Amino acid sequence: LDAWPDLVPPALSSVVCRDKTQIFCNLGLIHKDGRVFRYWDYLIEAMEQAKFRLFGWYVWDQGFGLPGNFGGRFAPSFEFVFHFNKNSGQVNKWVKAKGRESKTSWRSSDGNVRDITSKTGHAHKIPDSMIRISRSMTRGGHEDRHPAIFPIDLPSYFIKSFDGTILDPFMGSGTTLRAAKDLGRKAIGIEIEEKYAEIAAKRMAQEVLL
């Protein structure tokens, strides 16, 4: 955590912004000296200095809280996702929506009454700001080889929401790149730890969804 302000904020704020570049950063709660430690302030400040704005603030609902004792706090069951950009982009409508039905009656010239049912609404809608994905969904058996894993459904949620090439400057075991590959999207990953890069390379070479 001590190295975080000198690592993550500079990396994200130095991203070369295209017209519709969207940056998402998943962060969990950390407590220090009995208080919530707002370490994301370092990130927001660095991004604002680089002319990126905090455009959205979403919640990853991970399902049930973890078992254990958390010092008087409720069991953690969510994390944040910060959304930065310089220009807003068009969000893809890919989440299935429930259409609405309306019923009415119509009397024909012969006096008979017929019931008419019509469907309104769209088949798909933009994704919610509450991201409901269990932390244990669709893992790929590499949990014991990386300390900060997340389900492949999480990056897929954002990849499907916006078009363009994907960049993950902290690739880790390659979950984001694997999600991009499964969705037929171009992606670039950067990782300083060779052992994690090797895991990512193996996952990318596999032809089954991990």
Side-chain angles (χ1 to χ4, degrees):
L1 183 60
D2 292 338
W4 197 89
D6 298 323
L7 181 62
V8 178
L12 295 185
S13 62
S14 63
V15 170
V16 176
C17 182
R18 304 302 181 189
D19 183 44
K20 301 297 184 181
T21 296
Q22 309 295 315
I23 298 177
F24 297 93
C25 185
N26 168 221
L27 300 174
L29 282 177
I30 292 178
H31 301 92
K32 187 176 181 180
D33 299 327
R35 293 182 174 85
V36 171
F37 179 44
R38 293 170 41 170
Y39 63 102
W40 51 77
D41 286 348
Y42 295 106
L43 175 61
I44 295 173
E45 180 180 0
M47 296 300 279
E48 289 181 344
Q49 289 179 355
K51 307 303 181 182
F52 284 98
R53 59 187 178 179
L54 179 56
F55 185 68
W57 193 337
Y58 313 130
V59 175
W60 172 20
D61 175 6
Q62 300 173 328
F64 292 105
L66 296 169
N69 190 337
F70 300 95
R73 300 182 181 89
F74 293 163
S77 61
F78 74 93
E79 291 183 3
F80 296 130
V81 178
F82 293 86
H83 181 183
F84 298 95
N85 65 23
K86 294 183 179 180
N87 300 289
S88 58
Q90 179 60 49
V91 184
N92 296 325
K93 294 182 178 180
W94 62 269
V95 177
K96 290 184 178 180
K98 295 181 179 179
R100 299 183 301 276
E101 289 188 353
S102 61
K103 293 185 177 181
T104 186
S105 298
W106 177 73
R107 186 181 296 276
S108 62
S109 59
D110 60 7
N112 293 323
V113 176
R114 292 191 301 168
D115 291 331
I116 299 176
T117 300
S118 61
K119 293 186 177 181
T120 60
H122 299 281
H124 294 85
K125 68 181 189 69
I126 64 173
D128 293 344
S129 59
M130 177 70 75
I131 305 157
R132 302 171 182 88
I133 298 173
S134 170
R135 66 169 61 85
S136 60
M137 285 180 62
T138 59
R139 291 186 174 180
H142 57 282
E143 296 91 319
D144 58 342
R145 291 178 284 173
H146 193 277
I149 61 169
F150 48 84
I152 198 169
D153 302 70
L154 185 61
S156 296
Y157 194 90
F158 299 98
I159 293 170
K160 289 186 288 187
S161 298
F162 290 93
D163 297 328
T165 300
I166 311 303
L167 169 64
D168 187 350
F170 302 97
M171 180 179 64
S173 60
T175 302
T176 298
L177 267 66
R178 181 69 219 196
K181 179 179 180 179
D182 292 335
L183 292 171
R185 298 283 291 278
K186 293 181 179 179
I188 301 169
I190 302 171
E191 176 55 50
I192 195 172
E193 290 286 348
E194 184 177 354
K195 60 181 180 181
Y196 298 145
E198 291 176 352
I199 296 173
K202 291 179 180 178
R203 296 181 70 193
M204 293 297 289
Q206 294 173 351
E207 294 303 323
V208 295
L209 178 64
L210 290 182

